[in-house]
Amino acid sequence: MSTIFSKIIRGEIPCHRIYEDEFVLAFLDIFPLSPGHTLVIPKEEVARVDQLSDEAAAALGRVLPRICRAVSAVSGTEDYNILQNNGAAAHQAVFHVHFHIIPKPDAERGLGIDWPSGKLNEEGAAQLASRLREALGSS
Ligand code: 5GP
């Protein structure tokens, strides 16, 4: 699997890099939803979070809060969203894992969210949670 992000990692396409280590690269999104909109990606070439190695996942988890603090401080925006899309139906356009950090300075800028929530059904929820625990045990 190779996407435009692999080329950015290899330096074949330029980016505005803000952080790099052995496992992770962070750079400014080319089409920002608000000033400071940043992408944090693993150097591991996988499309979805569920495909990440433990090592790459741990490296991402370790630096994400630090990068959030920097984005927050420099954008002067305390509030922000982290968005992470997996699959075309979930609005993923680049099939290399990435976390968006999107400052939310006001109602107009940043991420807009449509949240069509339902109501959790108690009986269904118990069954669902049980199936999920089972799936986790075997994953
Ligand atoms: P997705 O919809 O896959 O979660 O978001 C992909 C993001 O990658 C988009 O926000 C898009 O603006 C960004 N993007 C796509 N190509 C490039 C690029 O070449 N450089 C940079 N910096 N960002 C890109």
Side-chain angles (χ1 to χ4, degrees):
M1 184 212 78
S2 193
T3 70
I4 196 148
F5 288 175
S6 297
K7 293 187 174 151
I8 289 177
I9 291 167
R10 292 196 295 266
E12 294 166 11
I13 288 180
C15 72
H16 291 282
R17 182 172 59 88
I18 66 166
Y19 176 85
E20 183 163 16
D21 67 27
E22 190 185 346
F23 300 104
V24 177
L25 177 68
F27 52 96
L28 295 178
D29 194 297
I30 203 165
F31 297 120
L33 290 180
S34 59
H37 183 164
T38 293
L39 298 174
V40 184
I41 71 174
K43 291 188 176 175
E44 188 169 81
E45 289 183 326
V46 294
R48 311 166 64 103
V49 155
D50 52 278
Q51 297 167 334
L52 278 172
S53 66
D54 285 356
E55 189 176 48
L60 284 163
R62 206 162 32 237
V63 297
L64 203 49
R66 263 171 70 197
I67 301 171
C68 287
R69 284 193 286 277
V71 169
S72 223
V74 172
S75 67
T77 307
E78 195 179 354
D79 298 345
Y80 60 89
N81 294 96
I82 293 179
L83 176 69
Q84 203 284 310
N85 300 326
N86 298 276
H91 305 287
Q92 185 174 14
V94 179
F95 292 92
H96 181 128
V97 171
H98 52 281
F99 290 77
H100 298 255
I101 302 171
I102 311 170
K104 186 70 180 165
D106 50 48
E108 282 72 43
R109 292 175 296 168
L111 184 66
I113 300 180
D114 184 25
W115 194 274
S117 59
K119 171 96 174 67
L120 193 62
N121 162 277
E122 271 310 312
E123 193 185 326
Q127 269 183 30
L128 184 58
S130 160
R131 287 177 55 209
L132 286 166
R133 283 193 297 273
E134 212 175 293
L136 268 167
S138 61
S139 71

